[in-house]
Amino acid sequence: MLKIENLHAEVDGKQILNGLSLEVGAGEVHAIMGPNGAGKSTLAYVLGGRPGYEITQGTVEFLGQDMLELEPHERAAAGLFLGFQYPVEIPGVSNVQFLREALNAQRKARGEEPFSGGEFLKVAKEKAGLLKLDMEMLKRPVNVGFSGGEKKRAEMVQMGILDPRLAVLDETDSGLDIDALRVVGEGINTIMRAPDKAVLLITHYQRLLDVVQPDFVHVLARGRIVKSGGPELAHQLEEEGYEAVAA
Amino acid sequence: MNELATLPTTRDENWRYADPTWLASADLAELNDWREITVPAGETVCEILSVEPGAERLRVNVGQGGRFELFAINAAGPYARAEAVVTLKEGAHFEFGGVTIGGGKNRQEFVTRTVHSAPGASSNQVVRSVQWGQAVGNFLGRIEVVKDAQKTDAAQNFRAILLEKGASANAKPELEIFADDVKCAHGAAIGALDDTAGFYMASRGLPPEVARKLLIHAFVADAFEAIQDEDLRGEMLAKALNVLDEEAV
Ligand SMILES: Nc1ncnc2c1ncn2[C@@H]1O[C@H](COP(=O)(O)OP(=O)(O)OP(=O)(O)O)[C@@H](O)[C@H]1O
Ligand SMILES: [Mg+2]
């Protein structure tokens, strides 16, 4: 589904990704762990196509397409979803309006019929219910005045509504209380655990991985994948730290 | 009062951001031709304005407990100015929502002078400017609170979004307050469209032009929030955004 090869990227002239390679197959959940400043969020942004992130070398293939050729909104329509470490506030634009426009823009790009207001609300209600987010919150402007945990939950409602093929989730667990962590983890399983979907889960903690059990765990350090393994690698990291495991 | 003996120049405070070329050949008699509006005590008058090229000047007297509402779109050029001098009696209210929107070399401005002439009057003014090309959006808002006009509540807010490098905006709040129990709030901010929000929206599948329109829609909506009639509010918004669709790059 996703094939990253020898990716080099820089921001403001500073090289951050340094020959990163990673392959994610359909039906798989991959966890990426790594020290602060390693380049995890940078990887997520580069995959999303954020302006200012310059790719100097390497390739990214997504569902058979050269992803680096696509504009950010085209990547979304192709099935990519980016869960932000810091979700962005958009004053004056309600979640409902934003997500309906976004979903219909994606559907249009894929040559599908747009959802009517009623159809959209039905899906939105179902996904909000799944994440235990009050529908009233979705009538408010995007992320404005949401608590840290509410923002992360709202991100997952967005994911549910947009129904992507590949979700790259950047520290979706940070800022969540213990109960919310379980709700969000189970939400990710419900929405994304399918034979034709995949997840790239960026996290610092085992707790989320107890709920969303990864098939593979990678350590990202100094801009590349320095170690890969199964779920046991996350446990080893939790006990011994990055220094010892992936020096 | 307010009669001009000679043509003003941009050295006059009140005309400092005006188009000097237009001013030099303006018609003095026309400039002195104020449109008068009287709002009787306790009544409400709502004025909807599509600003035309040139200068349009309103003189409004609002009686005790009356309410004057002015909602305006200024999308004209090369120079378009709407000016209002509003005098408020006891407990009266002035509500103003204005939008300047345009590109090219258009110079679009709102100029208000709000006189709180008796106690307990209030005013609320919200102006939003969206400019591109080399266009300029201005808001000059003068607030006067006479001696003894206690419990005055006057608020002014101006924000501008510049879509391109050559565009600009000017805000000039002016307060002249001779009473002591007065609440005056004013704010001004000039900036570009939020790139971070733009990327966030794109990452959800919104093409840049749709994302931009949503952001500008939300921005402009502030100015018309006080319009009670929902249909009218929608019409005003659509009219302002239409300018963006038709002209913006
Ligand atoms: N605009 C920028 N200019 C220069 N350096 C940058 C810029 N943005 C990020 N960096 C640097 O790139 C490096 C990687 O940042 P990134 O956010 O990808 O780390 P991370 O692995 O997500 O860390 P964390 O675990 O703290 O979230 C950091 O050293 C950071 O300071
Ligand atoms: Mg990060």
Side-chain angles (χ1 to χ4, degrees), chain B residues 142-161:
Chain B
R142 179 178 165 90
I143 288 171
E144 297 172 18
V145 181
V146 306
K147 190 166 165 288
D148 300 330
Q150 307 298 0
K151 304 276 180 219
T152 286
D153 188 344
Q156 251 183 37
N157 187 279
F158 175 73
R159 281 168 61 202
I161 284 182

Side-chain angles (χ1 to χ4, degrees), chain A residues 11-12 14 16 34-43 53 85 170-171 204:
Chain A
V11 188
D12 286 339
K14 186 183 164 197
I16 297 172
N36 294 132
K40 302 182 299 297
S41 293
T42 302
L43 172 63
Y53 289 73
Q85 184 172 357
D170 191 359
E171 294 197 29
H204 285 295

Side-chain angles (χ1 to χ4, degrees), chain A residues 61-127:
Chain A
E61 206 184 283
F62 176 48
L63 292 168
Q65 298 182 74
D66 177 357
M67 190 154 87
L68 302 180
E69 285 284 297
L70 303 178
E71 295 295 320
H73 67 281
E74 296 169 337
R75 298 181 192 196
L80 175 71
F81 179 87
L82 208 60
F84 282 59
Q85 184 172 357
Y86 305 107
V88 180
E89 299 184 2
I90 312 177
V93 181
S94 78
N95 282 283
V96 168
Q97 182 189 18
F98 172 52
L99 290 168
R100 186 174 161 210
E101 294 256 9
L103 179 62
N104 280 339
Q106 289 198 21
R107 293 181 65 85
K108 188 174 168 195
R110 292 192 292 258
E112 299 162 1
E113 284 295 308
F115 271 20
S116 70
E119 285 170 314
F120 172 78
L121 278 179
K122 192 163 160 265
V123 177
K125 268 191 197 125
E126 182 202 325
K127 305 305 173 185

Side-chain angles (χ1 to χ4, degrees), chain A residues 50 73 76 81-82 84 90 92 97-98 102 105-106 143 155 158, chain B residues 196-197 199-208 210 214-215 218:
Chain A
R50 184 171 188 152
H73 67 281
F81 179 87
L82 208 60
F84 282 59
I90 312 177
Q97 182 189 18
F98 172 52
Q106 289 198 21
N143 292 321
E155 288 278 283
Q158 293 189 14
Chain B
T196 313
F199 174 63
Y200 188 69
M201 295 170 99
S203 78
R204 300 304 183 243
L206 287 176
V210 179
L214 271 180
L215 289 172

Side-chain angles (χ1 to χ4, degrees), chain A residues 57-224:
Chain A
Q57 236 190 96
T59 56
V60 179
E61 206 184 283
F62 176 48
L63 292 168
Q65 298 182 74
D66 177 357
M67 190 154 87
L68 302 180
E69 285 284 297
L70 303 178
E71 295 295 320
H73 67 281
E74 296 169 337
R75 298 181 192 196
L80 175 71
F81 179 87
L82 208 60
F84 282 59
Q85 184 172 357
Y86 305 107
V88 180
E89 299 184 2
I90 312 177
V93 181
S94 78
N95 282 283
V96 168
Q97 182 189 18
F98 172 52
L99 290 168
R100 186 174 161 210
E101 294 256 9
L103 179 62
N104 280 339
Q106 289 198 21
R107 293 181 65 85
K108 188 174 168 195
R110 292 192 292 258
E112 299 162 1
E113 284 295 308
F115 271 20
S116 70
E119 285 170 314
F120 172 78
L121 278 179
K122 192 163 160 265
V123 177
K125 268 191 197 125
E126 182 202 325
K127 305 305 173 185
L130 188 64
L131 273 305
K132 297 195 165 52
L133 191 81
D134 193 342
M135 231 358 237
E136 285 304 308
M137 302 271 305
L138 291 188
K139 294 181 185 154
R140 284 170 38 187
V142 180
N143 292 321
V144 177
F146 285 28
S147 75
E150 286 166 348
K151 283 181 183 169
K152 295 304 177 74
R153 238 185 298 179
E155 288 278 283
M156 293 303 95
V157 174
Q158 293 189 14
M159 181 173 80
I161 291 170
L162 298 173
D163 194 25
R165 297 288 301 278
L166 171 69
V168 177
L169 304 180
D170 191 359
E171 294 197 29
T172 295
D173 50 344
S174 69
L176 292 176
D177 67 44
I178 296 165
D179 294 346
L181 187 82
R182 178 154 294 281
V183 170
V184 162
E186 283 165 359
I188 295 171
N189 286 333
T190 309
I191 297 163
M192 296 304 296
R193 267 290 184 195
D196 60 342
K197 293 179 170 182
V199 180
L200 201 56
L201 207 57
I202 297 171
T203 181
H204 285 295
Y205 305 106
Q206 177 61 41
R207 278 180 316 186
L208 181 65
L209 303 182
D210 288 338
V211 187
V212 188
Q213 293 177 357
D215 305 295
F216 302 91
V217 174
H218 311 274
V219 181
L220 199 166
R222 300 176 300 279
R224 58 156 71 90

